[in-house]
Amino acid sequence: MTAFFALSDFLTFNAIRYFIGHGVSVPENISVVGFDNAVLAAALTVFCIFWFMLDFGTTLANGIFVALVNDVVPRNFLGRFFGLFRGVSLIAGILFNYFLFGIAEQNFFLIFLGLAVIYAAGFVTVCLKVKEGTYPPVEPEEEKAGGFSAAAKNYFVECFGHPFYRWVILAYVTCGLANIPFNAYTIFYAKSIGVDMDAVGKYLAITYLISLCLSYFLGMLADRFHPIRMGLVSMVLYGIVAVCGIFFIRGTVSFAIIMILHGVVTGSYFTLIASYAQRLFPRELFAQFNSAMAIAVSLSWVFVSTVVGGMLDLTGHRYHYVWYAGALFSFLGIAFLWVVYRKYLELGGDSAYQAPAVQAVES
C-alpha cells in the first residue's frame, strides 16, 4: 500500500499517528489524504500558537540572560564563560540526540511534556537562587513627548544610527544565516538519501561530543584573539565545509561526515562569536542593542528559511542546494566581518577600543 484515503480529518490524523508509531514515514513511505481540513487545521493552529509562546519565552529568557552576563562577567573572561555555558548545553544535547531523537516522532507528546518540566524547574531555580545586587539609585528622566512612536524612533535611531553598529549587526546576521539552510532541512535531506532519524540523532550526538571537548578551549581563543578574528577563521572553515557539501556528498557515509563537520564548525563559530556583542556594543545600553540585533536575526531567519524552502520546492526537493546557500552566506559573512574588523582597528583595536557614541535623536 502506498496511499491511504480517509473520509475525515479525524481519521486522517489518527492514521498518521498510527503509521509514524509503527515506523512508517509520512509522506516518504505512504501518502495520507483526508476529506476535509478541520482537525488537522485546528491541530496545526494550536501547535503554532504554543510553539510561538515557547519561542517567545526562550528568546526573552536568553535576552535577559546575556544582559546579566554583560553586567557581571569580566570582559577578559567572557569567551571562557560562554565556552563553559555551551558545554553544559551540549551535554543536554548529547543525551537528547543519542537517546530520544530517533523516537521523537512517535513520542513527541512525552518529550514536549518533559521539556516543559525541565524549563519550569530551571526558571524557578534561577528566580530563587539569583539575587539582585545593590545598584546606585536611578536618576529620574524627563518625560518625553510623542509616546510609543517617539520611543520606537529613538530605539531604532540609537541602535542603527551609527554606521559601525549597522556593520556589526549586518555581519552577525549574515554569518548566522550560513548554517540555516542545512539546519532547517536536515531531516528532509537525510530522509531523501535514506538516512533514518536514529542515525541523524547519533550523528548529532557525535557532533555535540566533539564540540563539548572543544568548547572551553574555543572560549580561551575568543578571549585571547577577540571574537571578530575567531569569527573570521570559523566562517572560512564553514565556507570550506559548505563547498565540500556541494561536491562530495554522494551517499549516507559522505552525508554523515559532512553533517558532523558542519555541526562542529557551526558550533565552534557560535562559541567563538558568543562574546561578540558584549565586546562591541555600548555596555550601558547592551540589552537594547542586543535586542535590536535579535530582531534582525529573527526576521532574517524567517525570510531565508522561506526562500530556501521555495527554492527546494521549485527544484523538486534537491536538498544539496542548501550547501550553495550556506556557502553564499558564509562568504558574504566573511566580507562583512572583515569590514567590522577594519573599523574596530580604526576605533582603537584591542588596546584602546571604545564603543562609538550613540546617535542622538533630533528633536
Side-chain angles (χ1 to χ4, degrees):
M1 183 171 66
T2 60
F4 180 88
F5 181 83
L7 295 178
S8 71
D9 268 355
F10 179 78
L11 295 175
T12 305
F13 186 70
N14 283 282
I16 292 174
R17 294 186 63 181
Y18 174 83
F19 288 129
I20 292 177
H22 287 77
V24 180
S25 183
V26 178
E28 285 79 6
N29 302 130
I30 188 169
S31 299
V32 180
V33 181
F35 187 77
D36 55 43
N37 293 318
V39 175
L40 286 179
L44 183 60
T45 301
V46 171
F47 178 83
C48 289
I49 291 172
F50 280 93
W51 189 268
F52 170 80
M53 293 170 63
L54 172 66
D55 208 53
F56 179 83
T58 54
T59 301
L60 177 62
N62 183 66
I64 295 172
F65 175 77
V66 295
L68 179 64
V69 170
N70 177 72
D71 288 345
V72 302
V73 177
R75 284 287 187 271
N76 55 328
F77 286 100
L78 280 168
R80 279 163 282 185
F81 173 85
F82 279 115
L84 290 172
F85 176 78
R86 178 162 170 77
V88 174
S89 66
L90 286 167
I91 292 172
I94 291 170
L95 295 175
F96 174 82
N97 285 289
Y98 192 86
F99 294 106
L100 299 178
F101 192 88
I103 59 173
E105 290 181 317
Q106 296 87 4
N107 299 276
F108 62 88
F109 174 77
L110 292 175
I111 290 173
F112 277 121
L113 185 62
L115 289 175
V117 172
I118 294 171
Y119 264 76
F123 287 136
V124 170
T125 302
V126 169
C127 291
L128 292 176
K129 295 296 184 179
V130 177
K131 306 299 181 183
E132 286 285 346
T134 303
Y135 304 105
V138 178
E139 297 182 5
E141 295 185 358
E142 295 182 6
E143 193 73 23
K144 295 181 180 180
F148 176 79
S149 60
K153 178 183 177 182
N154 183 68
Y155 173 89
F156 284 103
V157 169
E158 286 185 347
C159 295
F160 297 99
H162 197 289
F164 177 68
Y165 296 131
R166 290 199 295 270
W167 278 110
V168 168
I169 293 172
L170 178 62
Y172 185 85
V173 168
T174 307
C175 290
L177 289 173
N179 69 91
I180 292 299
F182 179 77
N183 281 349
Y185 297 97
T186 300
I187 293 175
F188 302 104
Y189 195 164
K191 288 183 175 180
S192 71
I193 59 174
V195 179
D196 61 36
M197 291 302 92
D198 186 62
V200 171
K202 298 297 191 294
Y203 301 157
L204 288 171
I206 293 170
T207 297
Y208 291 169
L209 180 61
I210 297 171
S211 298
L212 175 63
C213 297
L214 295 174
S215 59
Y216 183 76
F217 301 102
L218 293 174
M220 292 176 62
L221 290 175
D223 286 335
R224 175 66 179 84
F225 296 106
H226 201 281
I228 301 176
R229 296 187 183 93
M230 301 315 302
L232 281 166
V233 172
S234 53
M235 270 296 102
V236 170
L237 291 176
Y238 188 83
I240 294 172
V241 171
V243 171
C244 290
I246 293 171
F247 293 105
F248 297 121
I249 291 183
R250 294 292 181 268
T252 57
V253 175
S254 55
F255 175 85
I257 293 171
I258 299 297
M259 179 180 172
I260 292 170
L261 287 175
H262 154 85
V264 171
V265 174
T266 298
S268 297
Y269 164 77
F270 282 111
T271 302
L272 290 166
I273 207 80
S275 56
Y276 172 86
Q278 283 91 346
R279 299 284 291 270
L280 297 177
F281 287 149
R283 186 165 190 173
E284 66 279 6
L285 293 174
F286 170 78
Q288 174 182 322
F289 275 72
N290 193 61
S291 69
M293 189 162 70
I295 291 172
V297 168
S298 297
L299 291 175
S300 68
W301 284 8
V302 171
F303 177 76
V304 168
S305 297
T306 304
V307 170
V308 172
M311 176 192 72
L312 293 173
D313 287 340
L314 291 174
T315 59
H317 300 147
R318 303 171 83 174
Y319 290 103
H320 71 278
Y321 282 125
V322 299
W323 296 114
Y324 288 90
L328 173 63
F329 284 120
S330 65
F331 296 138
L332 286 174
I334 291 167
F336 296 155
L337 263 183
W338 181 254
V339 174
V340 173
Y341 178 60
R342 298 303 303 172
K343 291 182 177 295
Y344 167 76
L345 295 180
E346 292 171 4
L347 291 167
D350 295 341
S351 60
Y353 172 76
Q354 293 292 327
V358 174
Q359 179 80 33
V361 180
E362 296 181 5
S363 302

